[in-house]
Amino acid sequence: METILEILGVIFISIGAAFLLLGSIGILRMPDVYSRLQAGTKASTLGTLGMLLGIGFFEPAWFLKIFIIMIFVILSNPISSHSIARGSCRSGIKPKLKETVNAYRDAMESCEESIKKDDK
Amino acid sequence: MEATNKISKFLFTWIVVFLVWLAFTSTFNIVEVITGIIVSFIIAIFNFGYFTNMGLKSFSPMRVLYFFQYNAVFLVALVKSNLNVARIVLSPKLPINTGIVEFETKLESDFAKMVLANSITLTPGTFTIDFVDSTFYIHWLDVKVTDPEEVYREIAEPFEKILLKIFN
């Protein structure tokens, strides 16, 4: 039984590590801040979840605590990157777009408007 | 009405905080449980106003059922999105076609919008940049459609169908 749990733990930790590695490669290769955040957020969320799950299999007594940590990671990870993206949008960092999409302009205008609103 | 509402909010907070305590201590030792009841009671007194809007109604069976359905949809999307990112990152040409699109949501409460924004961030190729009132601005790695209606159908509908049932 213990061997099976350990094997499962190793598998999940390896999967998590692999996704974290892919996320780091993504951060290096993507062209601008928003695409980099995309790669970073998704990969680091699933990577962390996989690692935590693997640790849970190694130490079954910790499983409930690890479950709570997983909930915190799922809730907080997107929020932090969302606020980074919003901050860079508001401070005027322009995304490199291959396809011109109208909502891009609107979004920038809305950013400027909301900055003006905040200034008042 | 006001008083029952407050009591229901308070009980909900108490139960949730106590469950978190139980998960963290991972034991049914009588001393630990009693300490947990007292501590979570004290925490709930100070925090129930901020913690929840709906109170005990959140525990209704249909809602819990939809919550599990939502989690299933979400986990599948999370794994898919990671495979998607892996495919993009590892292919030598970096096949991306980025753009920012917008759509209107039908959700009303702030909490529901937060959950939707988080889910979109963690699903394939999409990333919430900002939302103003009920308009979401999405950074999309591989733009397929630009019309807000179609964007809504493509990105948000699978989540919003369930969220509308949970929160309305």
Side-chain angles (χ1 to χ4, degrees):
Chain A
M1 190 61 202
E2 278 202 357
T3 350
I4 297 172
L5 282 182
E6 276 183 18
I7 292 171
L8 275 177
V10 169
I11 290 174
F12 274 102
I13 289 181
S14 320
I15 292 175
F19 277 120
L20 287 177
L21 174 69
L22 286 173
S24 342
I25 298 174
I27 289 176
L28 283 175
R29 288 198 64 195
M30 291 290 187
D32 65 341
V33 64
Y34 306 99
S35 317
R36 283 182 174 165
L37 277 172
Q38 289 238 25
T41 319
K42 291 175 222 281
S44 72
T45 309
L46 194 67
T48 319
L49 291 189
M51 288 219 147
L52 286 172
L53 208 61
I55 296 169
F57 280 119
F58 267 103
E59 295 281 344
W62 298 353
F63 208 87
L64 283 171
K65 292 174 209 185
I66 283 169
F67 184 69
I68 290 198
I69 298 173
M70 283 161 109
I71 294 175
F72 286 149
V73 168
I74 289 181
L75 279 178
S76 62
N77 220 340
I79 291 179
S80 59
S81 43
H82 166 72
S83 58
I84 295 174
R86 191 161 180 249
S88 29
C89 170
R90 285 189 168 206
S91 61
I93 298 174
K94 296 207 165 104
K96 281 180 194 154
L97 300 178
K98 285 201 178 160
E99 181 174 298
T100 325
V101 176
N102 287 338
Y104 155 70
R105 237 183 353 255
D106 300 346
M108 283 299 157
E109 274 164 21
S110 90
C111 280
E112 276 159 25
E113 266 170 37
S114 55
I115 291 171
K116 273 177 207 158
K117 254 187 226 165
D118 288 352
D119 286 345
K120 280 171 197 168
Chain B
M1 189 62 212
E2 186 80 343
T4 50
N5 197 11
K6 265 189 179 172
I7 290 170
S8 128
K9 275 185 188 177
F10 172 72
L11 285 177
F12 177 76
T13 314
W14 190 7
I15 291 169
V16 171
V17 175
F18 180 60
L19 287 179
V20 172
W21 171 279
L22 278 186
F24 267 129
T25 53
S26 311
T27 168
F28 285 105
N29 183 340
I30 192 76
V31 182
E32 295 272 8
V33 172
I34 291 173
T35 320
I37 290 174
I38 295 167
V39 171
S40 47
F41 181 81
I42 297 169
I43 294 172
I45 287 176
F46 291 110
N47 289 305
F48 71 93
Y50 315 105
F51 190 70
T52 170
N53 280 328
M54 303 205 274
L56 285 177
K57 270 185 273 172
S58 313
F59 282 138
S60 76
M62 281 317 277
R63 209 176 275 253
V64 173
L65 217 71
Y66 283 130
F67 177 73
F68 281 112
Q69 190 196 353
Y70 183 80
N71 278 343
V73 171
F74 173 74
L75 281 179
V76 170
L78 180 59
V79 173
K80 254 197 230 163
S81 85
N82 271 277
L83 296 177
N84 184 29
V85 165
R87 188 177 55 82
I88 290 174
V89 162
L90 290 181
S91 61
K93 275 193 201 151
L94 208 63
I96 53 173
N97 181 23
T98 50
I100 297 177
V101 293
E102 63 177 333
F103 72 87
E104 300 274 330
T105 175
K106 295 190 191 97
L107 297 168
E108 277 156 20
S109 74
D110 280 345
F111 184 71
K113 282 183 200 163
M114 190 271 282
V115 174
L116 180 64
N118 275 3
S119 314
I120 288 172
T121 299
L122 291 177
T123 52
T126 52
F127 188 91
T128 316
I129 287 185
D130 200 355
F131 66 86
V132 181
D133 296 328
S134 65
T135 311
F136 277 66
Y137 295 102
I138 309 288
H139 181 267
W140 202 351
L141 270 187
D142 184 17
V143 178
K144 291 180 202 128
V145 286
T146 52
D147 181 58
E149 288 280 311
E150 283 170 38
V151 170
Y152 171 78
R153 236 171 288 139
E154 192 83 12
I155 298 180
E157 201 161 32
F159 297 111
E160 214 178 282
K161 264 190 304 195
I162 308 172
L163 284 179
L164 278 172
K165 285 178 197 153
I166 297 180
F167 288 102
N168 288 356

